[in-house]
mmCIF file with all atom_site columns, all heavy atoms in Angstrom:
data_model
loop_
_atom_site.group_PDB
_atom_site.id
_atom_site.type_symbol
_atom_site.label_atom_id
_atom_site.label_alt_id
_atom_site.label_comp_id
_atom_site.label_asym_id
_atom_site.label_entity_id
_atom_site.label_seq_id
_atom_site.pdbx_PDB_ins_code
_atom_site.Cartn_x
_atom_site.Cartn_y
_atom_site.Cartn_z
_atom_site.occupancy
_atom_site.B_iso_or_equiv
_atom_site.pdbx_formal_charge
_atom_site.auth_seq_id
_atom_site.auth_comp_id
_atom_site.auth_asym_id
_atom_site.auth_atom_id
_atom_site.pdbx_PDB_model_num
ATOM 1  N N   . VAL A 1 83 ? -17.372 -23.406 10.323 1.00 47.00 ? 319 VAL A N   1
ATOM 2  C CA  . VAL A 1 83 ? -18.183 -22.503 11.126 1.00 47.00 ? 319 VAL A CA  1
ATOM 3  C C   . VAL A 1 83 ? -17.337 -21.282 11.461 1.00 47.00 ? 319 VAL A C   1
ATOM 4  O O   . VAL A 1 83 ? -16.341 -21.397 12.189 1.00 47.00 ? 319 VAL A O   1
ATOM 5  C CB  . VAL A 1 83 ? -18.669 -23.178 12.425 1.00 47.00 ? 319 VAL A CB  1
ATOM 6  C CG1 . VAL A 1 83 ? -19.493 -22.212 13.252 1.00 47.00 ? 319 VAL A CG1 1
ATOM 7  C CG2 . VAL A 1 83 ? -19.459 -24.434 12.098 1.00 47.00 ? 319 VAL A CG2 1
ATOM 8  N N   . PRO A 1 84 ? -17.655 -20.124 10.910 1.00 50.00 ? 320 PRO A N   1
ATOM 9  C CA  . PRO A 1 84 ? -16.825 -18.943 11.174 1.00 50.00 ? 320 PRO A CA  1
ATOM 10 C C   . PRO A 1 84 ? -16.748 -18.647 12.660 1.00 50.00 ? 320 PRO A C   1
ATOM 11 O O   . PRO A 1 84 ? -17.756 -18.595 13.353 1.00 50.00 ? 320 PRO A O   1
ATOM 12 C CB  . PRO A 1 84 ? -17.541 -17.820 10.415 1.00 50.00 ? 320 PRO A CB  1
ATOM 13 C CG  . PRO A 1 84 ? -18.386 -18.521 9.405  1.00 50.00 ? 320 PRO A CG  1
ATOM 14 C CD  . PRO A 1 84 ? -18.788 -19.813 10.038 1.00 50.00 ? 320 PRO A CD  1
ATOM 15 N N   . SER A 1 85 ? -15.555 -18.495 13.121 1.00 53.00 ? 321 SER A N   1
ATOM 16 C CA  . SER A 1 85 ? -15.372 -18.185 14.534 1.00 53.00 ? 321 SER A CA  1
ATOM 17 C C   . SER A 1 85 ? -15.430 -16.683 14.743 1.00 53.00 ? 321 SER A C   1
ATOM 18 O O   . SER A 1 85 ? -15.161 -15.904 13.848 1.00 53.00 ? 321 SER A O   1
ATOM 19 C CB  . SER A 1 85 ? -14.019 -18.728 15.010 1.00 53.00 ? 321 SER A CB  1
ATOM 20 O OG  . SER A 1 85 ? -12.980 -18.112 14.283 1.00 53.00 ? 321 SER A OG  1
ATOM 21 N N   . GLY A 1 86 ? -15.781 -16.303 15.960 1.00 60.00 ? 322 GLY A N   1
ATOM 22 C CA  . GLY A 1 86 ? -15.764 -14.888 16.267 1.00 60.00 ? 322 GLY A CA  1
ATOM 23 C C   . GLY A 1 86 ? -14.333 -14.403 16.419 1.00 60.00 ? 322 GLY A C   1
ATOM 24 O O   . GLY A 1 86 ? -13.376 -15.096 16.110 1.00 60.00 ? 322 GLY A O   1
ATOM 25 N N   . GLY A 1 87 ? -14.182 -13.202 16.894 1.00 77.00 ? 323 GLY A N   1
ATOM 26 C CA  . GLY A 1 87 ? -12.849 -12.689 17.085 1.00 77.00 ? 323 GLY A CA  1
ATOM 27 C C   . GLY A 1 87 ? -12.404 -11.816 15.939 1.00 77.00 ? 323 GLY A C   1
ATOM 28 O O   . GLY A 1 87 ? -13.171 -11.480 15.034 1.00 77.00 ? 323 GLY A O   1
ATOM 29 N N   . PRO A 1 88 ? -11.134 -11.488 15.935 1.00 86.00 ? 324 PRO A N   1
ATOM 30 C CA  . PRO A 1 88 ? -10.643 -10.489 14.976 1.00 86.00 ? 324 PRO A CA  1
ATOM 31 C C   . PRO A 1 88 ? -10.303 -11.040 13.596 1.00 86.00 ? 324 PRO A C   1
ATOM 32 O O   . PRO A 1 88 ? -10.052 -10.262 12.694 1.00 86.00 ? 324 PRO A O   1
ATOM 33 C CB  . PRO A 1 88 ? -9.374  -9.977  15.664 1.00 86.00 ? 324 PRO A CB  1
ATOM 34 C CG  . PRO A 1 88 ? -8.894  -11.138 16.466 1.00 86.00 ? 324 PRO A CG  1
ATOM 35 C CD  . PRO A 1 88 ? -10.122 -11.864 16.939 1.00 86.00 ? 324 PRO A CD  1
ATOM 36 N N   . LEU A 1 89 ? -10.253 -12.359 13.412 1.00 90.00 ? 325 LEU A N   1
ATOM 37 C CA  . LEU A 1 89 ? -9.802  -12.886 12.125 1.00 90.00 ? 325 LEU A CA  1
ATOM 38 C C   . LEU A 1 89 ? -10.690 -12.478 10.954 1.00 90.00 ? 325 LEU A C   1
ATOM 39 O O   . LEU A 1 89 ? -10.158 -12.013 9.926  1.00 90.00 ? 325 LEU A O   1
ATOM 40 C CB  . LEU A 1 89 ? -9.673  -14.409 12.184 1.00 90.00 ? 325 LEU A CB  1
ATOM 41 C CG  . LEU A 1 89 ? -9.193  -15.064 10.886 1.00 90.00 ? 325 LEU A CG  1
ATOM 42 C CD1 . LEU A 1 89 ? -7.822  -14.522 10.493 1.00 90.00 ? 325 LEU A CD1 1
ATOM 43 C CD2 . LEU A 1 89 ? -9.153  -16.577 11.025 1.00 90.00 ? 325 LEU A CD2 1
ATOM 44 N N   . PRO A 1 90 ? -12.020 -12.623 11.003 1.00 92.00 ? 326 PRO A N   1
ATOM 45 C CA  . PRO A 1 90 ? -12.828 -12.222 9.832  1.00 92.00 ? 326 PRO A CA  1
ATOM 46 C C   . PRO A 1 90 ? -12.644 -10.769 9.424  1.00 92.00 ? 326 PRO A C   1
ATOM 47 O O   . PRO A 1 90 ? -12.419 -10.502 8.236  1.00 92.00 ? 326 PRO A O   1
ATOM 48 C CB  . PRO A 1 90 ? -14.268 -12.520 10.295 1.00 92.00 ? 326 PRO A CB  1
ATOM 49 C CG  . PRO A 1 90 ? -14.119 -13.610 11.308 1.00 92.00 ? 326 PRO A CG  1
ATOM 50 C CD  . PRO A 1 90 ? -12.846 -13.302 12.022 1.00 92.00 ? 326 PRO A CD  1
ATOM 51 N N   . PRO A 1 91 ? -12.695 -9.803  10.354 1.00 92.00 ? 327 PRO A N   1
ATOM 52 C CA  . PRO A 1 91 ? -12.447 -8.420  9.905  1.00 92.00 ? 327 PRO A CA  1
ATOM 53 C C   . PRO A 1 91 ? -11.033 -8.197  9.390  1.00 92.00 ? 327 PRO A C   1
ATOM 54 O O   . PRO A 1 91 ? -10.816 -7.372  8.508  1.00 92.00 ? 327 PRO A O   1
ATOM 55 C CB  . PRO A 1 91 ? -12.723 -7.572  11.157 1.00 92.00 ? 327 PRO A CB  1
ATOM 56 C CG  . PRO A 1 91 ? -12.699 -8.513  12.304 1.00 92.00 ? 327 PRO A CG  1
ATOM 57 C CD  . PRO A 1 91 ? -13.117 -9.832  11.772 1.00 92.00 ? 327 PRO A CD  1
#
Side-chain angles (χ1 to χ4, degrees):
V319 179
S321 61
L325 180 59

